[in-house]
Amino acid sequence: MIFPKLHVYALTASSLLAISAASRVQIPLSREPLQDIPLLGFGTWNLDRNNASDVVSEALNAGFRHFDCAAIYRDEREVGTGLRKGLKSAGLKREDIWVTSKLWNNHHSPSLVPKALNETLTDLDTPYLDLYLMHWPVSSENGRTEIDYLDTWHAMIKLVEAKLVRHIGVSNFSPSQLHALIESAPDNPPFAHQMEVHPYLQQKGFVDWHRLNNIHITAYSPLGNMNPTYTTWRKAKSAEAVPPLLSNGLMREIAETRSCTPAQVALQWGRSRGTSVILKSAHTQRIKENYASLQCNLEPEDIQRIESQLPTKRFNNPSASWGVDLYDGLEDATSSAELGSSTLMTTSRMALEDAWNRLRTLGNAIADLQIRTGPESNRDQSLRSGCWCV
């Protein structure tokens, strides 16, 4: 069994009615925003901040209407500028696109949740989010890293009530964690769950469970190990490595048969399951190619071959570096002790990220002081840099 600790159940009628009612009252503008997540999304992780605004604007003009952001990506201000430029050039309004962002681990304390959202809304230059996700079920505050998410979730519920976000959800949760969260707030289940899903990590049982319980899935890394961040890990683990997904013989064969590219096949496979897929590119041609995946048609036998002939491999697991166990009960989940030095996020990388988070907190404190003692330009500069270091 893929996730033995999870007891499958359907949401109650009252829960579904609560979601429906919330969808009506959460509309912050007179014009009705998108009601469904577009199944093709543009990701903003690892964008070069020097041209992030232009890339985002270009993606919007290419047809993308779903944009996935996060505070820890450190580029939300540039993304916000790009969205504003793109909307203007495309003749669209804010309500015509879907914007998701995520709460980072260092703001899990209930009192910090609205502060984190306010910073994201300011940086993205938007009055509301369509979806706000808890990035991980992990808190990293006051020098401690631990599994902690229930109080954070209840604080996020208040953001919906305040009409600052339309929907809330989670990311990277295990079945047992998701079950516990829903039990703690049965009238406010997650609208969506973002997790690693691709042909190398299909998670069929977990995907089916979400469909049964009316929780949308957004798949990150839909092209598997093509993400540059996974390259070092793939080389270091050469004995266990699988070929880059887009070089896989099966994916290439299906692509040739259907007159698509391997990337388009992977994206269409994800959407065929009802999941939205998010991916990033800074190259004009690839942005257009990815959007054209909407025209890639797969046959049932293609789906069957992808689902039966590929190995299983998870590429994003910071369990060892954080000292917590993640993905319990899911495919290719390895405990923090078992992972050791083979984890994707090495200890040194995560140490640098933790240091950056602490420095950003310090930088924001200095910025707040400059509001009272210095010109607005100084405050703006500090917020743009995100920290007072690099």
Side-chain angles (χ1 to χ4, degrees):
M1 179 175 285
I2 298 177
F3 36 94
K5 292 186 177 181
L6 186 64
H7 300 288
V8 176
Y9 63 96
L11 297 179
T12 63
S14 61
S15 297
L16 293 174
L17 287 173
I19 296 173
S20 176
S23 297
R24 292 192 296 271
V25 302
Q26 289 162 5
I27 299 174
L29 303 175
S30 57
R31 180 176 175 179
E32 187 170 312
L34 297 178
Q35 293 303 299
D36 298 315
I37 303 180
L39 293 187
L40 183 61
F42 190 81
T44 60
W45 182 35
N46 280 345
L47 283 179
D48 184 343
R49 292 175 63 182
N50 292 318
N51 68 346
S53 297
D54 291 337
V55 169
V56 169
S57 178
E58 185 173 0
L60 197 154
N61 279 276
F64 284 89
R65 297 294 180 264
H66 172 188
F67 294 85
D68 183 78
C69 316
I72 194 61
Y73 299 167
R74 309 168 192 169
D75 59 8
E76 289 195 318
R77 179 165 291 217
E78 290 77 15
V79 170
T81 299
L83 290 176
R84 186 169 61 251
K85 289 167 51 180
L87 288 172
K88 182 177 180 180
S89 61
L92 299 174
K93 301 294 185 181
R94 166 64 182 87
E95 309 92 280
D96 296 319
I97 63 173
W98 184 285
V99 179
T100 295
S101 188
K102 308 178 193 73
L103 176 77
W104 187 240
N105 304 353
N106 61 347
H107 282 76
H108 270 223
S109 293
S111 62
L112 297 179
V113 171
K115 179 180 179 181
L117 174 64
N118 183 64
E119 183 172 330
T120 281
L121 293 177
T122 299
D123 286 348
L124 289 174
D125 191 21
T126 181
Y128 70 98
L129 292 176
D130 297 282
L131 177 61
Y132 198 37
L133 304 175
M134 194 186 315
H135 210 146
W136 293 87
V138 177
S139 171
S140 57
E141 300 177 18
N142 303 316
R144 299 176 58 188
T145 299
E146 57 188 347
I147 299 295
D148 183 20
Y149 53 89
L150 292 181
D151 290 341
T152 308
W153 182 251
H154 285 271
M156 292 176 68
I157 292 173
K158 295 180 180 179
L159 304 178
V160 178
E161 296 170 350
K163 300 183 181 180
L164 296 173
V165 302
R166 297 178 56 225
H167 306 287
I168 53 176
V170 297
S171 182
N172 298 301
F173 271 53
S174 72
S176 60
Q177 291 163 350
L178 191 55
H179 193 191
L181 183 144
I182 295 175
E183 282 195 328
S184 77
D187 290 331
N188 293 278
F191 174 84
H193 187 182
Q194 185 173 131
M195 55 181 151
E196 182 183 350
V197 181
H198 44 74
Y200 280 154
L201 189 69
Q202 302 184 17
Q203 307 205 70
K204 184 179 186 303
F206 207 25
V207 169
D208 290 344
W209 181 90
H210 282 77
R211 186 181 300 111
L212 175 65
N213 288 276
N214 200 36
I215 300 173
H216 178 79
I217 287 181
T218 296
Y220 69 74
S221 296
L223 303 185
N225 51 350
M226 299 305 298
N227 191 308
T229 305
Y230 302 148
T231 302
T232 300
W233 181 90
R234 187 170 67 239
K235 290 179 178 178
K237 299 275 289 180
S238 57
E240 302 176 24
V242 293
L245 181 64
L246 303 191
S247 298
N248 181 279
L250 175 63
M251 301 297 290
R252 295 174 68 87
E253 179 185 336
I254 294 174
E256 183 177 357
T257 301
R258 304 305 171 199
S259 299
C260 304
T261 66
Q264 291 171 343
V265 170
L267 297 175
Q268 181 58 21
W269 171 83
R271 289 195 304 270
S272 73
R273 311 168 91 206
T275 65
S276 53
V277 294
I278 52 172
L279 74 165
K280 182 265 308 183
S281 179
H283 305 285
T284 298
Q285 186 56 41
R286 288 181 183 170
I287 290 174
K288 293 179 179 178
E289 174 190 327
N290 293 336
Y291 187 74
S293 67
L294 294 170
Q295 308 304 318
C296 179
N297 297 312
L298 301 181
E299 297 297 329
E301 57 264 31
D302 301 327
I303 304 297
Q304 191 277 330
R305 294 180 70 195
I306 291 173
E307 294 183 349
S308 63
Q309 298 181 25
L310 293 177
T312 297
K313 185 65 64 177
R314 183 183 297 275
F315 300 106
N316 188 17
N317 191 346
S319 293
S321 297
W322 289 352
V324 296
D325 289 339
L326 301 166
Y327 311 126
D328 181 39
L330 293 175
E331 295 174 26
D332 201 28
T334 310
S335 71
S336 57
E338 293 172 312
L339 273 172
S341 61
S342 69
T343 183
L344 161 67
M345 295 284 201
T346 63
T347 301
S348 59
R349 177 183 173 88
M350 292 310 301
L352 287 172
E353 290 204 358
D354 289 342
W356 182 91
N357 286 329
R358 290 194 294 272
L359 285 169
R360 180 175 184 175
T361 300
L362 175 61
N364 287 340
I366 295 173
D368 290 340
L369 177 62
Q370 287 186 331
I371 294 175
R372 299 187 293 272
T373 62
E376 178 68 13
S377 59
N378 288 341
R379 171 179 177 271
D380 186 67
Q381 181 181 6
S382 69
L383 289 175
R384 282 184 182 275
S385 65
C387 68
W388 290 79
C389 48
V390 180

